[in-house]
Amino acid sequence: MIDIGSLRALTAIEQHGSVIAASDVIGFSPSAVSQQVKKLEKQAGFALLERRGRGVLLTERGLALAAYGRRILAELEELQSTLLADPAKPSGRLKVVAFSTACRGLVGPMLGRLASSGTELDVSVLAEDPREAVARVANGEADLGVVHNWNSVPLVIPEHMSLEWLCEDIADLLVHRSHPLAGRDAVEPSDLLGERWVSTPHGAICNEALLRIFSDLGRVPDIRVYDPDFATHIALVDQAAVVALVPRLGRPGLPDDVVSVPLVNPVQVRHVGIVHRRTMTASPGIRHAAGLLREIAGSLTS
């Protein structure tokens, strides 16, 4: 009889590329993961891993068994989320991964509603950029992701995952009250040449969206500060040090000296949605959390 834990260890190695990375994901020590694979090799009667430098690679038969393992684990997950769960009583653990402003604007209110309703759903939350959130949900490290993509930077969703868009989130230019653009009804990208910017870090989707604004102008924005926290962006604008592009979702009240100016041609908008594995579609916990997020997003746009 093939052990499910051993299959999970093998598929984790295939997905994450090493025994150490797999151990971090499934919560076992590297030696325990290795023992699980050795047990599976003994049961199967052939080698599943081969040494390659300081790492390991799956053998041809190891890859085939991992492919079967993924299907078996997916069916087991679907079974647990449907037949073995009470659809009228969401319970158990739910791992949510969301980008920072969604943690404030969507997930925070969801946690409040869960707490006040007494639902027996144990939710943990991790803040991650959307690409990392998609990867964590795809690999089974998280159950539900709150993600976004800009109209200029699309987000790729694997086929075994389900995506539902909840709302749109517009980003505005923030400037100090003394700035020449503070009195404008709207600005265009060409008005922003020569400005000093604060941005999210290199590689983050919001950073890429800022770069795309200037791509048609053949220019690169003069980014003086990189910081992942939009609250820091607002604080720096308040010091008249930089300008910033900050979405409205989860945005705190602006200081008196910070002015929001719409950016047009094009408007900078993020589509905000939720993702989960298709095998978890009928999960009472997923359905309940998704319903709450849907209601909260609706109240923000109504």
Side-chain angles (χ1 to χ4, degrees):
M1 180 70 70
I2 292 180
D3 180 71
I4 292 296
S6 298
L7 271 182
R8 186 169 282 112
L10 182 67
T11 57
I13 293 171
E14 181 201 20
Q15 290 173 338
H16 300 282
S18 72
V19 172
I20 293 176
S23 69
D24 289 339
V25 171
I26 62 180
F28 293 155
S29 67
S31 61
V33 172
S34 296
Q35 288 300 318
Q36 290 281 358
V37 175
K38 288 178 181 177
K39 182 196 299 184
L40 194 56
E41 287 180 326
K42 186 175 181 180
Q43 292 172 329
F46 49 78
L48 301 174
L49 301 178
E50 60 183 31
R51 289 284 179 186
R52 181 64 59 88
R54 302 178 107 183
V56 295
L57 292 176
L58 271 69
T59 64
E60 183 177 356
R61 286 187 166 187
L63 288 170
L65 185 55
Y68 277 107
R70 286 196 305 274
R71 291 197 293 270
I72 291 169
L73 292 171
E75 290 176 357
L76 179 61
E77 179 177 72
E78 190 169 15
L79 172 64
Q80 291 173 331
S81 68
T82 53
L83 294 181
L84 301 183
D86 184 350
K89 189 178 180 182
S91 60
R93 299 191 63 189
L94 186 70
K95 296 180 181 179
V96 177
V97 57
F99 59 98
S100 181
T101 48
C103 286
R104 291 196 297 268
L106 294 174
V107 178
M110 180 193 76
L111 294 175
R113 294 191 186 189
L114 287 172
S116 62
S117 67
T119 303
E120 296 180 8
L121 194 60
D122 183 13
V123 180
S124 60
V125 182
L126 175 66
E128 287 273 29
D129 205 51
R131 292 192 184 101
E132 285 71 25
V134 168
R136 287 186 184 276
V137 175
N139 293 333
E141 298 173 56
D143 305 305
L144 182 67
V146 185
V147 300
H148 69 71
N149 72 338
W150 291 82
N151 48 348
S152 58
V153 186
L155 184 67
V156 178
I157 307 297
E159 291 184 1
H160 72 288
M161 293 174 64
S162 175
L163 167 66
E164 176 188 352
W165 295 119
L166 298 178
C167 61
E168 292 185 347
D169 182 24
I170 295 174
D172 301 305
L173 175 72
L174 300 188
V175 299
H176 190 268
R177 187 169 298 279
S178 63
H179 195 284
L181 297 176
R184 296 276 293 270
D185 292 331
V187 293
E188 299 185 6
S190 58
D191 298 320
L192 304 176
L193 296 174
E195 296 293 344
R196 295 173 300 178
W197 291 85
V198 56
S199 169
T200 53
H202 286 289
I205 291 181
C206 293
N207 170 257
E208 291 188 20
L210 177 60
L211 296 177
R212 294 285 179 90
I213 291 174
F214 294 90
S215 60
D216 290 340
L217 302 175
R219 297 285 293 275
V220 176
D222 180 11
I223 300 174
R224 299 298 181 92
V225 181
Y226 291 92
D227 192 284
D229 188 357
F230 283 123
T232 302
H233 296 200
I234 295 171
L236 291 173
V237 174
D238 193 29
Q239 298 299 318
V242 291
V243 301
L245 182 69
V246 178
R248 297 174 185 175
L249 177 65
R251 191 167 76 192
L254 297 178
D256 291 339
D257 285 335
V258 176
V259 176
S260 172
V261 184
L263 179 58
V264 298
N265 296 327
V267 173
Q268 294 301 304
V269 59
R270 307 190 295 186
H271 298 278
V272 179
I274 51 177
V275 294
H276 59 77
R277 294 180 298 284
R278 294 186 185 277
T279 53
M280 297 289 284
T281 298
S283 163
I286 292 287
R287 292 168 67 91
H288 188 63
L292 290 177
L293 290 170
R294 200 178 296 121
E295 292 175 9
I296 294 164
S299 69
L300 296 176
T301 56
S302 59

